[in-house]
Amino acid sequence: ANQQQEVMKKGEVGLQEKEEELRFIRLQTEEIKRQYTAAKKRLPEMDIKRNMIVELEEKLAAERRKVDNLSNHLEDPQNLERWRPLDGEDPDIEQLIAKIKVLEDRLDMKREQLLEKELVLEEVTSLTERLKTQASGKRDVAKSMADQLNELQARIRDTTKKMLASVSELSMYQATALRLQQEKMRRESLIEEMKFKLEHGECPSEEAAKDWYRAERRRLQNIEATIQKEEAAALKNKTTTTGIIVKTTADPRPTAYIPEELGIPKPYGMLAPFKPSEQGSTMRHIRLPNPK
């Protein structure tokens, strides 16, 4: 079954290839038919084109004959119309010799100038070579100088920044000094005013009066506290010496202040009653028992 499927696939692939070839052949056939139709339509024009070619060849031959005639007419020495005389006179031998001498003098002068320029060129070339040698030798020096220059520029920038910072600090200090000077002048004027008030029996200022009132009140409070302490100490000494009973807020007890050696019986036995504590707020949640 697999072999049959493979054969069928190969047959389908071959069939598709043949169909593609057939389609290509059909396209070529259509193109040939189109070209044949176009050539068939152009057949009546062939005679016209042949006549035009013959006519153009005749015109070309006539133009060539015309060119040949003009060339022969121009090259004929007997033709006096092919040249015209020029104005002027031919120089004689002496004039030609004089002109040759002038030209030779000019040529010598140009040669001398050329030699001078060659000498200058040689000097400039030698000087250039020498400068090149010096430049190549001093390249390292120039590099070190450039590094030093960069370092100096960096130091200059740092110094400039420090100077600007110092100037700003100086301006700030100047402003602070000016403010302190003004404060000093204000304080001096205030002190003079206070001295004038003291000399005339007045209070120097409201703050001074408040401070004096506070200090005086504190002094009186200290004196009163000292007096109270002395009275309390004196009362204590008097109580201890005279045996006066001091009033107390303690609850009275049956055996209070009764020594044991007197033999006085106690009002209660072994199970003495106790004073119950006051009821708290939680008693409202407790319900009394209801006996049946």
Side-chain angles (χ1 to χ4, degrees), residues 244-258:
I244 298 174
I245 298 173
V246 181
K247 184 179 179 180
T248 180
T249 58
D251 295 335
R253 294 178 292 170
T255 59
Y257 307 109
I258 298 176

Side-chain angles (χ1 to χ4, degrees), residues 179-194:
R179 182 172 55 80
L180 293 175
Q181 187 70 23
Q182 293 176 355
E183 184 69 18
K184 178 183 176 183
M185 294 173 65
R186 188 180 67 80
R187 295 288 178 89
E188 289 178 354
S189 62
L190 185 62
I191 290 170
E192 293 294 332
E193 184 179 357
M194 289 180 178

Side-chain angles (χ1 to χ4, degrees), residues 44-206:
E45 298 179 359
M46 294 298 292
D47 296 334
I48 299 171
K49 298 294 183 183
R50 289 192 187 96
N51 296 329
M52 289 177 63
I53 291 170
V54 172
E55 186 178 356
L56 291 174
E57 287 179 352
E58 291 177 356
K59 289 182 179 180
L60 179 61
E63 292 295 330
R64 284 178 178 176
R65 288 193 297 270
K66 187 176 180 180
V67 171
D68 292 336
N69 293 328
L70 291 174
S71 298
N72 294 327
H73 185 68
L74 181 63
E75 293 174 359
D76 188 6
Q78 302 298 328
N79 187 12
L80 300 178
E81 295 180 356
R82 69 184 182 89
W83 61 274
R84 63 183 178 85
L86 297 175
D87 297 334
E89 296 179 356
D90 293 333
D92 54 1
I93 302 298
E94 295 179 356
Q95 291 179 354
L96 292 174
I97 293 171
K99 287 183 179 181
I100 291 171
K101 186 177 181 182
V102 171
L103 293 173
E104 287 178 353
D105 294 337
R106 290 178 62 185
L107 181 60
D108 294 335
M109 187 182 297
K110 293 296 181 182
R111 286 176 179 174
E112 291 178 358
Q113 292 178 0
L114 180 61
L115 290 173
E116 291 178 359
K117 290 182 179 180
E118 287 179 353
L119 293 174
V120 172
L121 179 61
E122 290 178 358
E123 292 180 359
V124 170
T125 304
S126 62
L127 182 60
T128 304
E129 294 294 332
R130 191 166 56 212
L131 291 174
K132 284 182 180 179
T133 305
Q134 292 179 0
S136 61
K138 294 182 179 179
R139 188 173 297 169
D140 297 334
V141 178
K143 184 177 179 181
S144 62
M145 291 179 67
D147 295 337
Q148 291 179 2
L149 180 61
N150 293 329
E151 185 179 357
L152 290 174
Q153 288 179 352
R155 291 176 61 184
I156 289 170
R157 286 195 294 270
D158 294 338
T159 306
T160 305
K161 290 180 181 178
K162 290 179 181 179
M163 288 176 64
L164 293 174
S166 301
V167 169
S168 61
E169 289 180 0
L170 180 61
S171 61
M172 184 176 64
Y173 290 152
Q174 288 178 351
T176 305
L178 182 61
R179 182 172 55 80
L180 293 175
Q181 187 70 23
Q182 293 176 355
E183 184 69 18
K184 178 183 176 183
M185 294 173 65
R186 188 180 67 80
R187 295 288 178 89
E188 289 178 354
S189 62
L190 185 62
I191 290 170
E192 293 294 332
E193 184 179 357
M194 289 180 178
K195 286 181 179 180
F196 179 77
K197 288 183 179 180
L198 285 174
E199 290 176 356
H200 290 78
E202 297 179 1
C203 183
S205 63
E206 294 181 358

Side-chain angles (χ1 to χ4, degrees), residues 193-255:
E193 184 179 357
M194 289 180 178
K195 286 181 179 180
F196 179 77
K197 288 183 179 180
L198 285 174
E199 290 176 356
H200 290 78
E202 297 179 1
C203 183
S205 63
E206 294 181 358
E207 294 180 357
K210 291 179 182 179
D211 293 339
W212 184 80
Y213 287 144
R214 285 196 293 269
E216 188 67 18
R217 186 171 62 250
R218 195 179 298 111
R219 187 178 66 80
L220 293 175
Q221 289 175 357
N222 293 332
I223 292 172
E224 185 177 358
T226 304
I227 292 171
Q228 288 179 359
K229 287 180 181 179
E230 290 177 355
E231 289 178 355
L235 182 61
K236 185 177 181 181
N237 293 330
K238 185 176 180 180
T239 302
T240 54
T241 55
T242 59
I244 298 174
I245 298 173
V246 181
K247 184 179 179 180
T248 180
T249 58
D251 295 335
R253 294 178 292 170
T255 59

